[in-house]
Amino acid sequence: MTFFVKNLQTVDGLISNLYKDISVEEMTKKITELFELQGYKVIDQQFGNLILEKGSRTKRLLLGAFATYFKFSVTMSLNTENELTVNVFQQSSGMSGGLIGMNQIKTELARLNFLFANI
């Protein structure tokens, strides 16, 4: 069963989606499981807030675009009528990977947009 209702906003570095009939705890669990399957790890978790990271920042600085590094934060807020707004923010610019690294971040954000639309 998908809880996704609609995409509220997609701009550079931000995805905002609306979900219905799901709690913050359930969404946190679903996001954590989904991202762990994608190779991400949760480096910080508070109620309704997650910071997810994939790869090594040090390797990215040393090897540039040849090393994978993505960092995103997820915030959740409960609205009226049992609706949940989930915002995904890009936390790494990809600048350490040059133009290729910046493009990798944009591509990853587009891929995550698709993943979040299927929750």
Side-chain angles (χ1 to χ4, degrees):
M1 175 180 181
T2 59
F3 301 97
F4 179 77
V5 176
K6 66 179 178 177
N7 180 279
L8 299 173
Q9 183 177 16
T10 302
V11 292
D12 254 4
L14 167 70
I15 300 168
S16 184
N17 290 334
L18 184 66
Y19 297 89
K20 194 161 180 79
D21 299 326
I22 188 166
S23 68
V24 173
E25 295 85 9
E26 289 174 302
M27 182 59 88
T28 301
K29 185 178 177 190
K30 285 189 174 290
I31 291 171
T32 303
E33 290 171 357
L34 179 65
F35 273 76
E36 284 177 353
L37 289 173
Q38 302 296 317
Y40 282 85
K41 58 186 172 209
V42 177
I43 59 171
D44 188 21
Q45 180 176 349
Q46 298 170 359
F47 184 77
N49 297 311
L50 297 166
I51 296 180
L52 304 155
E53 189 176 55
K54 181 178 184 179
S56 168
R57 175 87 176 127
T58 306
K59 286 183 183 177
R60 180 64 160 217
L61 288 170
L62 294 173
L63 302 172
F66 295 109
T68 301
Y69 180 73
F70 301 116
K71 185 175 180 181
F72 296 96
S73 66
V74 179
T75 60
M76 294 171 249
S77 58
L78 201 56
N79 300 343
T80 58
E81 300 177 19
N82 204 20
E83 294 178 337
L84 183 68
T85 303
V86 177
N87 297 311
V88 181
F89 299 97
Q90 150 189 332
Q91 294 295 316
S92 61
S93 65
M95 289 289 276
S96 56
L99 290 175
I100 295 170
M102 291 170 62
N103 194 30
Q104 288 172 341
I105 293 284
K106 287 181 183 178
T107 303
E108 183 68 5
L109 195 62
R111 190 179 75 81
L112 293 181
N113 192 13
F114 177 76
L115 288 175
F116 273 93
N118 290 310
I119 292 178

